[in-house]
Amino acid sequence: MQSSRAGLPAQEPLEAWLAANVPGYKGPATITKFEGGQSNPTFRLDAASGSVVLRRRPQGQVLASAHAIDREYKVMAALAGADFPVPQVIAYCENTEVIGSAFYVMELVRGRIFWDPRLPGFLRQERTALFRSVNETIARLHTLDPEELGLGDYGRPENFLRRQVARWSKQYRASETEHIAAMENLIVFLNDNFPPEEQSRVVHGDFRLDNIIVHPSEPRVVAVLDWELSTLGSPAADFAYHMTAWRWSPALLRGLEGEDLQALGIPNEPAYRRLYTRATGRADIEHWEYYLAFAVFRIAAICQGIAKRALDGTASSPDAVVMGAKARPLAEIGWNIARRLTA
């Protein structure tokens, strides 16, 4: 976290809004921007009344369906009611005159965030315990009934994969900065090989280690963050996205490929998948490689969007150029997965 007000305008309108909408608020707040994050800028607000987190939509031109913080707020409010580990949301502001874009405020959850899935500094048994806790958390999400959560209208469950491939193809086209043959081939493959639809569930859309808060001293999940891509859809696709880290190296994008997982105490891909299928009551995940190819395609499209925002000067993270450059190698990984299925 850096001591900076970067991304926030004059404090007076925000202070007035906080006083009116955050129970017990006593300012003024000291504002610091959290490091990392390629999408919605996120800030810690420390005041005499305590600490909260503010998450805002980026300023400037952004893709039409991206940065949906209103959906983040809605889904977290619903999941908190089911005792699922998310921060408690406090208030939402759609008035862009307060800080220049819509935003919401939520509780500050104390804990740790890890970017490297190899978890350096952990004991072997701690890694095993944390990976099991993460697996149990996504499995629990996928067993919750959207209707019972009050999220029956949170998305259109029918034709989920078809709409997702179309959406991310459109997002990719809107942010394309160069021709990537592997991405073009991958788009054709995904459109020609849709698996049968499965029962719809709430899906996170970006379920990875650095979107999880870990207990301050114990190897267990205490909160899941960053719900802007959440919707109703395929749990298998959501879980495959979560498992893409097993398919690339640490050097490319914080992956696990090539690591001695047994020595680290981290389950290999089949073992981790079995944990999930047992917890969700599935026999297995059919068409697994298709779901993986789709997941890698999505990540490549996201990186391409970051590349475009870096060129336009609207990216939230200073690492946006580096992240954007990963679109091509990721597309090649996705196409290699798909090509083996068609060989």
Coordinates of all heavy atoms in Angstrom, one line a residue, residues 158-202:
E158 N -28.9 -19.3 -19.1 CA -28.9 -20.1 -20.3 C -27.8 -19.6 -21.3 O -27.5 -18.5 -21.3 CB -30.3 -20.0 -21.0 CG -30.6 -18.6 -21.6 CD -31.1 -17.6 -20.6 OE1 -31.3 -18.0 -19.4 OE2 -31.3 -16.4 -21.0
N159 N -27.3 -20.6 -22.0 CA -26.2 -20.3 -23.0 C -25.1 -19.5 -22.4 O -24.5 -18.6 -23.1 CB -26.8 -19.6 -24.2 CG -27.9 -20.4 -24.9 OD1 -27.7 -21.6 -25.2 ND2 -29.0 -19.7 -25.3
F160 N -24.7 -19.9 -21.2 CA -23.6 -19.1 -20.5 C -22.3 -19.1 -21.3 O -21.8 -18.0 -21.6 CB -23.4 -19.7 -19.1 CG -22.2 -19.1 -18.4 CD1 -22.3 -17.9 -17.8 CD2 -21.0 -19.8 -18.4 CE1 -21.2 -17.3 -17.2 CE2 -19.9 -19.3 -17.7 CZ -20.0 -18.0 -17.1
L161 N -21.8 -20.3 -21.7 CA -20.5 -20.3 -22.4 C -20.6 -19.6 -23.8 O -19.7 -18.9 -24.1 CB -20.1 -21.7 -22.6 CG -19.5 -22.4 -21.3 CD1 -19.3 -23.9 -21.6 CD2 -18.2 -21.7 -20.9
R162 N -21.7 -19.7 -24.5 CA -21.9 -19.1 -25.8 C -21.8 -17.5 -25.6 O -21.1 -16.8 -26.3 CB -23.2 -19.5 -26.4 CG -23.2 -20.9 -26.9 CD -24.5 -21.3 -27.5 NE -24.5 -22.7 -27.9 CZ -24.1 -23.2 -29.0 NH1 -23.6 -22.4 -29.9 NH2 -24.1 -24.5 -29.2
R163 N -22.5 -17.1 -24.6 CA -22.5 -15.6 -24.3 C -21.2 -15.1 -23.8 O -20.7 -14.0 -24.1 CB -23.6 -15.3 -23.3 CG -25.0 -15.4 -24.0 CD -26.1 -14.9 -23.0 NE -26.3 -15.8 -21.9 CZ -25.9 -15.6 -20.7 NH1 -25.2 -14.5 -20.4 NH2 -26.1 -16.4 -19.7
Q164 N -20.5 -16.0 -23.0 CA -19.2 -15.6 -22.5 C -18.1 -15.5 -23.6 O -17.3 -14.6 -23.7 CB -18.7 -16.6 -21.4 CG -19.4 -16.4 -20.1 CD -18.8 -15.2 -19.4 OE1 -17.6 -15.1 -19.0 NE2 -19.7 -14.2 -19.1
V165 N -18.1 -16.5 -24.5 CA -17.2 -16.5 -25.6 C -17.5 -15.3 -26.5 O -16.5 -14.6 -26.9 CB -17.3 -17.8 -26.4 CG1 -16.5 -17.7 -27.7 CG2 -16.8 -19.0 -25.6
A166 N -18.7 -15.0 -26.7 CA -19.1 -13.8 -27.5 C -18.7 -12.5 -26.8 O -18.1 -11.6 -27.4 CB -20.6 -13.8 -27.8
R167 N -18.9 -12.4 -25.5 CA -18.6 -11.2 -24.8 C -17.1 -11.0 -24.8 O -16.6 -9.8 -25.0 CB -19.1 -11.4 -23.3 CG -18.6 -10.2 -22.4 CD -18.8 -10.5 -21.0 NE -18.3 -9.4 -20.2 CZ -18.3 -9.4 -18.8 NH1 -18.8 -10.4 -18.2 NH2 -17.7 -8.4 -18.2
W168 N -16.3 -12.0 -24.4 CA -14.9 -11.8 -24.3 C -14.2 -11.6 -25.7 O -13.2 -10.9 -25.8 CB -14.2 -12.9 -23.5 CG -14.6 -12.7 -22.1 CD1 -15.5 -13.5 -21.4 CD2 -14.1 -11.7 -21.2 NE1 -15.6 -13.0 -20.1 CE2 -14.7 -12.0 -19.9 CE3 -13.2 -10.7 -21.3 CZ2 -14.5 -11.2 -18.8 CZ3 -12.9 -9.9 -20.2 CH2 -13.6 -10.1 -19.0
S169 N -14.8 -12.2 -26.7 CA -14.3 -11.9 -28.1 C -14.6 -10.5 -28.4 O -13.7 -9.8 -29.0 CB -15.1 -12.8 -29.1 OG -14.8 -14.2 -28.9
K170 N -15.7 -9.9 -28.1 CA -16.0 -8.5 -28.3 C -15.1 -7.6 -27.5 O -14.6 -6.6 -28.0 CB -17.5 -8.3 -27.9 CG -17.9 -6.8 -28.2 CD -19.4 -6.7 -27.8 CE -19.9 -5.2 -28.1 NZ -21.3 -5.0 -27.7
Q171 N -14.9 -8.0 -26.2 CA -14.0 -7.2 -25.4 C -12.6 -7.2 -26.0 O -11.9 -6.2 -26.0 CB -13.9 -7.8 -24.0 CG -15.2 -7.8 -23.2 CD -15.5 -6.4 -22.6 OE1 -15.5 -5.4 -23.2 NE2 -15.9 -6.5 -21.3
Y172 N -12.1 -8.4 -26.5 CA -10.8 -8.5 -27.1 C -10.7 -7.6 -28.3 O -9.8 -6.9 -28.5 CB -10.5 -10.0 -27.4 CG -9.3 -10.1 -28.2 CD1 -8.0 -10.0 -27.6 CD2 -9.4 -10.4 -29.6 CE1 -6.9 -10.1 -28.4 CE2 -8.2 -10.6 -30.3 CZ -7.0 -10.4 -29.7 OH -5.8 -10.6 -30.5
R173 N -11.7 -7.7 -29.2 CA -11.7 -6.9 -30.4 C -11.7 -5.4 -30.1 O -11.0 -4.6 -30.7 CB -13.0 -7.2 -31.2 CG -13.1 -8.6 -31.6 CD -12.3 -8.9 -32.9 NE -12.6 -10.3 -33.3 CZ -11.6 -11.2 -33.5 NH1 -10.3 -10.8 -33.4 NH2 -11.9 -12.4 -33.9
A174 N -12.4 -5.0 -29.0 CA -12.5 -3.6 -28.7 C -11.2 -3.1 -28.1 O -10.9 -1.8 -28.2 CB -13.6 -3.4 -27.6
S175 N -10.3 -4.0 -27.6 CA -9.0 -3.5 -27.1 C -7.8 -4.1 -27.9 O -6.7 -3.9 -27.4 CB -8.9 -4.0 -25.6 OG -9.1 -5.4 -25.5
E176 N -8.1 -4.6 -29.0 CA -7.0 -5.2 -29.8 C -6.0 -4.2 -30.2 O -6.3 -3.1 -30.7 CB -7.6 -5.9 -31.0 CG -6.6 -6.8 -31.8 CD -7.3 -7.5 -32.9 OE1 -8.5 -7.3 -33.2 OE2 -6.6 -8.4 -33.6
T177 N -4.7 -4.5 -30.0 CA -3.6 -3.6 -30.4 C -2.7 -4.2 -31.4 O -1.9 -3.5 -32.0 CB -2.8 -3.2 -29.2 OG1 -2.3 -4.4 -28.5 CG2 -3.6 -2.4 -28.2
E178 N -2.8 -5.5 -31.6 CA -2.0 -6.2 -32.6 C -2.7 -7.6 -33.0 O -3.5 -8.0 -32.3 CB -0.6 -6.5 -32.1 CG -0.6 -7.5 -30.9 CD 0.8 -7.9 -30.5 OE1 1.7 -7.8 -31.3 OE2 1.0 -8.2 -29.3
H179 N -2.3 -8.2 -34.1 CA -2.9 -9.4 -34.5 C -2.2 -10.6 -33.8 O -1.0 -10.7 -33.8 CB -2.7 -9.6 -36.0 CG -3.3 -10.9 -36.5 ND1 -4.6 -11.2 -36.7 CD2 -2.7 -12.1 -36.8 CE1 -4.8 -12.4 -37.1 NE2 -3.6 -13.0 -37.2
I180 N -3.0 -11.4 -33.1 CA -2.5 -12.6 -32.4 C -3.2 -13.8 -33.0 O -4.4 -14.1 -32.8 CB -2.8 -12.5 -30.9 CG1 -2.1 -11.2 -30.3 CG2 -2.2 -13.7 -30.2 CD1 -2.4 -11.0 -28.9
A181 N -2.4 -14.6 -33.9 CA -3.0 -15.7 -34.6 C -3.6 -16.7 -33.6 O -4.7 -17.3 -33.9 CB -2.0 -16.3 -35.5
A182 N -2.9 -17.0 -32.5 CA -3.4 -18.0 -31.5 C -4.7 -17.6 -31.0 O -5.6 -18.5 -30.7 CB -2.3 -18.2 -30.4
M183 N -4.9 -16.3 -30.7 CA -6.2 -15.9 -30.2 C -7.3 -16.1 -31.2 O -8.4 -16.5 -30.9 CB -6.1 -14.4 -29.8 CG -7.2 -13.9 -28.9 SD -7.1 -14.7 -27.3 CE -8.2 -13.6 -26.3
E184 N -7.0 -15.8 -32.5 CA -8.0 -16.0 -33.5 C -8.4 -17.5 -33.6 O -9.6 -17.8 -33.8 CB -7.5 -15.5 -34.9 CG -7.1 -14.0 -34.9 CD -8.3 -13.1 -34.6 OE1 -9.4 -13.5 -34.9 OE2 -8.1 -12.0 -34.2
N185 N -7.4 -18.4 -33.6 CA -7.7 -19.8 -33.7 C -8.5 -20.3 -32.5 O -9.3 -21.1 -32.6 CB -6.3 -20.6 -33.7 CG -5.6 -20.4 -35.0 OD1 -6.2 -20.1 -36.1 ND2 -4.3 -20.5 -35.0
L186 N -8.1 -19.7 -31.3 CA -8.8 -20.1 -30.1 C -10.3 -19.7 -30.1 O -11.2 -20.5 -29.7 CB -8.1 -19.5 -28.9 CG -8.4 -19.9 -27.5 CD1 -8.4 -21.4 -27.3 CD2 -7.5 -19.3 -26.5
I187 N -10.6 -18.5 -30.6 CA -11.9 -18.1 -30.8 C -12.8 -19.0 -31.6 O -13.9 -19.4 -31.3 CB -12.0 -16.6 -31.3 CG1 -11.5 -15.7 -30.2 CG2 -13.4 -16.2 -31.7 CD1 -11.2 -14.2 -30.7
V188 N -12.2 -19.4 -32.8 CA -12.9 -20.4 -33.7 C -13.1 -21.7 -32.9 O -14.2 -22.2 -33.0 CB -12.0 -20.6 -34.9 CG1 -12.7 -21.7 -35.8 CG2 -12.0 -19.3 -35.8
F189 N -12.1 -22.2 -32.3 CA -12.3 -23.5 -31.6 C -13.4 -23.4 -30.5 O -14.2 -24.3 -30.4 CB -10.9 -23.9 -30.9 CG -11.1 -25.0 -29.9 CD1 -11.1 -26.3 -30.3 CD2 -11.2 -24.7 -28.5 CE1 -11.3 -27.3 -29.4 CE2 -11.4 -25.7 -27.6 CZ -11.4 -27.0 -28.0
L190 N -13.4 -22.4 -29.7 CA -14.3 -22.3 -28.6 C -15.8 -22.2 -29.2 O -16.7 -22.8 -28.6 CB -14.0 -21.1 -27.8 CG -12.7 -21.1 -26.9 CD1 -12.4 -19.8 -26.3 CD2 -12.8 -22.2 -25.9
N191 N -16.0 -21.5 -30.3 CA -17.3 -21.4 -30.9 C -17.7 -22.7 -31.5 O -18.9 -22.9 -31.7 CB -17.3 -20.3 -31.9 CG -17.5 -18.9 -31.3 OD1 -18.5 -18.6 -30.8 ND2 -16.4 -18.1 -31.3
D192 N -16.8 -23.6 -31.9 CA -17.2 -24.8 -32.6 C -17.3 -26.0 -31.7 O -17.7 -27.1 -32.2 CB -16.1 -25.1 -33.7 CG -16.2 -24.2 -34.9 OD1 -17.1 -23.4 -35.0 OD2 -15.2 -24.2 -35.7
N193 N -17.0 -25.9 -30.4 CA -17.0 -27.1 -29.5 C -17.6 -26.9 -28.2 O -17.1 -27.4 -27.2 CB -15.5 -27.5 -29.4 CG -14.8 -27.9 -30.6 OD1 -15.0 -29.1 -31.0 ND2 -14.1 -27.0 -31.3
F194 N -18.7 -26.1 -28.1 CA -19.4 -25.9 -26.8 C -19.8 -27.2 -26.2 O -20.4 -28.0 -26.8 CB -20.6 -25.0 -27.0 CG -20.3 -23.6 -27.3 CD1 -20.5 -23.1 -28.6 CD2 -19.7 -22.7 -26.4 CE1 -20.2 -21.7 -28.9 CE2 -19.4 -21.4 -26.7 CZ -19.6 -20.9 -27.9
P195 N -19.5 -27.4 -24.9 CA -20.0 -28.6 -24.2 C -21.4 -28.4 -23.8 O -22.0 -27.3 -23.8 CB -19.1 -28.6 -22.9 CG -18.7 -27.2 -22.7 CD -18.6 -26.6 -24.0
P196 N -22.1 -29.4 -23.3 CA -23.5 -29.3 -22.9 C -23.6 -28.3 -21.7 O -22.6 -28.2 -20.9 CB -23.9 -30.7 -22.4 CG -22.9 -31.6 -23.2 CD -21.7 -30.9 -23.3
E197 N -24.7 -27.7 -21.5 CA -24.9 -26.8 -20.4 C -25.0 -27.5 -19.1 O -25.5 -28.7 -19.1 CB -26.1 -25.9 -20.6 CG -26.0 -24.9 -21.7 CD -27.1 -23.8 -21.6 OE1 -27.3 -23.2 -20.6 OE2 -27.8 -23.7 -22.6
E198 N -24.6 -26.9 -18.0 CA -24.7 -27.5 -16.7 C -25.5 -26.6 -15.8 O -25.9 -25.5 -16.1 CB -23.4 -27.8 -16.1 CG -22.5 -26.6 -15.9 CD -21.2 -26.9 -15.2 OE1 -21.0 -28.1 -14.8 OE2 -20.3 -26.0 -15.1
Q199 N -25.9 -27.1 -14.6 CA -26.7 -26.3 -13.7 C -26.0 -25.0 -13.3 O -24.8 -25.0 -12.9 CB -27.0 -27.2 -12.4 CG -28.0 -26.5 -11.5 CD -28.3 -27.4 -10.3 OE1 -27.5 -28.1 -9.8 NE2 -29.5 -27.3 -9.8
S200 N -26.7 -24.0 -13.3 CA -26.2 -22.6 -13.1 C -26.0 -22.4 -11.6 O -26.8 -22.8 -10.8 CB -27.1 -21.6 -13.7 OG -26.6 -20.3 -13.4
R201 N -24.9 -21.7 -11.3 CA -24.6 -21.3 -9.9 C -24.0 -19.9 -10.0 O -23.6 -19.4 -11.1 CB -23.6 -22.2 -9.3 CG -24.2 -23.6 -8.9 CD -25.1 -23.4 -7.7 NE -25.6 -24.6 -7.2 CZ -26.8 -25.1 -7.4 NH1 -27.6 -24.4 -8.2 NH2 -27.3 -26.2 -6.9
V202 N -23.8 -19.2 -8.8 CA -23.1 -18.0 -8.8 C -21.6 -18.3 -9.0 O -21.0 -19.2 -8.4 CB -23.2 -17.3 -7.4 CG1 -22.3 -16.1 -7.3 CG2 -24.6 -16.9 -7.1

